[in-house]
Amino acid sequence: MNYPSGIKKDKTTITRRKIDYKNRGMNLENDINETNNYYIEKNIAFIYKKPTPIKLVKVDYKKGRIDEAYFEMPSTTDYNGIYNGKYIDFEAKETTNQKGFPITNIHKHQIQHIRNIYNSKGICFLIVRFTKYNETYLLLAKDFLEYIDNVGKSIIPREYFINKGFRIKDKYIKKVDYLEILNKMEDEK
Amino acid sequence: MNYPSGIKKDKTTITRRKIDYKNRGMNLENDINETNNYYIEKNIAFIYKKPTPIKLVKVDYKKGRIDEAYFEMPSTTDYNGIYNGKYIDFEAKETTNQKGFPITNIHKHQIQHIRNIYNSKGICFLIVRFTKYNETYLLLAKDFLEYIDNVGKSIIPREYFINKGFRIKDKYIKKVDYLEILNKMEDEK
């Protein structure tokens, strides 16, 4: 279940005393949103987080107020948009797991979506933050799918991200500057 | 205010007795969603409607239930995705106005978004249905922006859609087959 940032923050507050790294990790979504806002302000890219899908049950139409609703499972990834005329699509997740990234963090529908976008020649990837190490990696859909199709469906070891992924270093303004990684890949082609 | 389809349907039911065309017009969103589902099933394109943004006020985290929330103004268009590796972005609106399309139907933020996507070389357009005539047109961002920048900001006459836009004929399965229009444009290049 992919809750909006408000809820994540709450969880964070509760666990703050326990591990500061976890708290930092919980901010991945905010870091990416800040980065996207920077890209938008500078006319670099137009990539947005999709709102969390909601199932409406009770709505006061006059007041435009929702009195009862439930979070729904997202069928696509959280972020998509355009950069240099190219379609960009990614999912962002943080994990407190020290061994690796539990694949259960990505829903079945989202994996199919990642496959579809990859097959459609979109630029598709995961951004995963290992909160215990405060390391953030970009893993291309190609390498993500290669792992789950050929190796295993339970957990992707941190080593796989170190070897196949691209480390995204913390920055002051562009907190999660993933476009820099994509540019480097483009240059190396 | 851009309400989710559920609400549109309610309004429709109320006005059904009045004008059948209006009722038909109110189904544009459903027609596009059906068309998108067809594209997805056939692996032709992966274009989705974004959920309506919601401002959460009261949430029961344990039950994942929203007890108070409000609809928010969308800052981007409703639909985006990928087709043949290209970024697709559009807004869909129906109008009961017989003279033309009132530009107030598109929020200021959405117009800026359309401008941004057009400048980023994304394939961006409006799908407008004139419910009184049951005519549906695709108008490219280029022609939409040309009108509001050079002619007027209140209403785009139906004639402009007839001359500059592309009529999308009703179909049985692909109700609003806008990709057929894009393909024709591509062929004519």
Side-chain angles (χ1 to χ4, degrees), chain B:
Chain B
M1 183 65 253
N2 181 8
Y3 293 110
S5 54
I7 296 168
K8 280 187 179 164
K9 275 197 201 140
D10 270 29
K11 283 185 178 173
T12 312
T13 324
I14 295 156
T15 54
R16 180 167 287 147
R17 272 173 245 84
K18 258 193 276 160
I19 310 138
D20 183 50
Y21 281 117
K22 181 170 184 183
N23 175 31
R24 266 205 257 163
M26 285 301 187
N27 293 321
L28 176 60
E29 183 179 314
N30 300 332
D31 290 352
I32 290 172
N33 291 342
E34 272 185 47
T35 307
N36 286 343
N37 290 338
Y38 177 89
Y39 293 150
I40 291 162
E41 280 165 27
K42 301 289 183 191
N43 286 298
I44 293 165
F46 300 96
I47 296 156
Y48 293 86
K49 184 178 190 299
K50 291 178 196 166
T52 307
I54 303 280
K55 185 176 176 23
L56 298 170
V57 177
K58 263 190 245 151
V59 179
D60 182 329
Y61 300 123
K62 276 186 196 149
K63 294 177 181 161
R65 190 187 64 210
I66 298 155
D67 294 322
E68 190 186 352
Y70 296 87
F71 295 109
E72 284 191 310
M73 197 83 91
S75 57
T76 68
T77 49
D78 274 0
Y79 298 87
N80 79 345
I82 185 167
Y83 172 55
N84 279 347
K86 297 199 186 101
Y87 178 81
I88 304 288
D89 192 306
F90 66 93
E91 182 66 20
K93 289 269 183 263
E94 64 271 310
T95 178
T96 56
N97 191 305
Q98 284 175 286
K99 293 211 174 89
F101 177 69
I103 293 160
T104 49
N105 284 339
I106 312 279
H107 314 304
K108 209 166 126 266
H109 286 307
Q110 293 181 307
I111 291 174
Q112 185 54 53
H113 175 77
I114 290 166
R115 206 180 286 282
N116 293 339
I117 300 307
Y118 173 67
N119 292 337
S120 308
K121 301 181 180 55
I123 296 172
C124 190
F125 52 89
L126 299 180
I127 294 177
V128 173
R129 179 174 288 175
F130 293 97
T131 60
K132 290 282 199 299
Y133 306 92
N134 198 39
E135 289 174 351
T136 307
Y137 293 94
L138 184 154
L139 185 68
L140 290 172
K142 178 183 138 293
D143 298 314
F144 170 67
L145 296 169
E146 197 171 284
Y147 191 92
I148 61 173
D149 290 343
N150 305 317
V151 187
K153 288 182 170 43
S154 63
I155 186 162
I156 302 176
R158 177 168 159 257
E159 288 63 34
Y160 191 78
F161 286 86
I162 294 168
N163 298 329
K164 293 273 191 167
F166 300 83
R167 176 91 185 265
I168 304 172
K169 295 267 170 70
D170 291 5
K171 285 189 182 181
Y172 180 60
I173 301 168
K174 293 179 278 179
K175 293 242 175 85
V176 186
D177 190 6
Y178 55 89
L179 291 184
E180 184 187 44
I181 307 289
L182 298 181
N183 292 338
K184 278 182 193 158
M185 283 189 236
E186 202 49 46
D187 297 343
E188 284 161 13
K189 267 186 188 167

Side-chain angles (χ1 to χ4, degrees), chain A residues 14 27 36 40 52 74 89-90 96 99 125-126 136 157 179 182:
Chain A
I14 295 156
N27 293 321
N36 286 343
I40 291 162
T52 307
D89 191 305
F90 66 94
T96 57
K99 293 212 174 88
F125 51 89
L126 299 180
T136 308
L179 291 183
L182 298 181

Side-chain angles (χ1 to χ4, degrees), chain A residues 1-166:
Chain A
M1 185 63 255
N2 180 8
Y3 291 110
S5 54
I7 296 169
K8 280 186 179 164
K9 273 195 200 142
D10 268 33
K11 284 186 178 170
T12 312
T13 324
I14 295 156
T15 54
R16 179 168 286 145
R17 271 173 244 84
K18 258 194 274 159
I19 310 138
D20 183 52
Y21 281 116
K22 180 170 183 181
N23 175 32
R24 268 206 254 162
M26 285 303 189
N27 293 321
L28 176 60
E29 183 179 314
N30 301 331
D31 291 351
I32 290 172
N33 292 340
E34 273 186 44
T35 307
N36 286 343
N37 290 337
Y38 177 90
Y39 293 150
I40 291 162
E41 280 165 26
K42 301 289 182 188
N43 285 299
I44 293 165
F46 300 96
I47 296 155
Y48 294 86
K49 184 178 190 301
K50 292 177 196 168
T52 307
I54 302 283
K55 184 177 177 22
L56 298 169
V57 176
K58 263 190 246 151
V59 179
D60 182 329
Y61 300 124
K62 277 186 194 148
K63 294 176 181 163
R65 190 185 65 210
I66 297 155
D67 295 321
E68 190 186 350
Y70 297 86
F71 295 110
E72 282 192 309
M73 196 84 90
S75 56
T76 68
T77 50
D78 275 0
Y79 299 86
N80 79 345
I82 185 166
Y83 170 55
N84 279 347
K86 296 196 186 105
Y87 178 81
I88 305 288
D89 191 305
F90 66 94
E91 182 68 20
K93 289 269 182 263
E94 64 269 310
T95 178
T96 57
N97 192 305
Q98 285 174 286
K99 293 212 174 88
F101 176 70
I103 294 160
T104 49
N105 284 337
I106 312 280
H107 314 302
K108 209 166 125 263
H109 286 307
Q110 292 181 308
I111 292 175
Q112 185 54 51
H113 176 77
I114 290 166
R115 207 179 285 283
N116 293 339
I117 300 307
Y118 172 67
N119 292 336
S120 308
K121 300 180 179 57
I123 296 171
C124 190
F125 51 89
L126 299 180
I127 293 177
V128 172
R129 180 173 287 175
F130 292 98
T131 60
K132 291 279 198 303
Y133 306 92
N134 197 40
E135 289 173 352
T136 308
Y137 293 94
L138 185 154
L139 185 69
L140 290 171
K142 178 183 138 292
D143 298 313
F144 170 67
L145 295 169
E146 196 171 285
Y147 191 91
I148 61 172
D149 290 342
N150 305 319
V151 187
K153 287 181 169 45
S154 63
I155 186 163
I156 302 175
R158 177 167 158 258
E159 288 63 34
Y160 191 77
F161 286 86
I162 294 168
N163 298 329
K164 292 274 191 165
F166 300 83

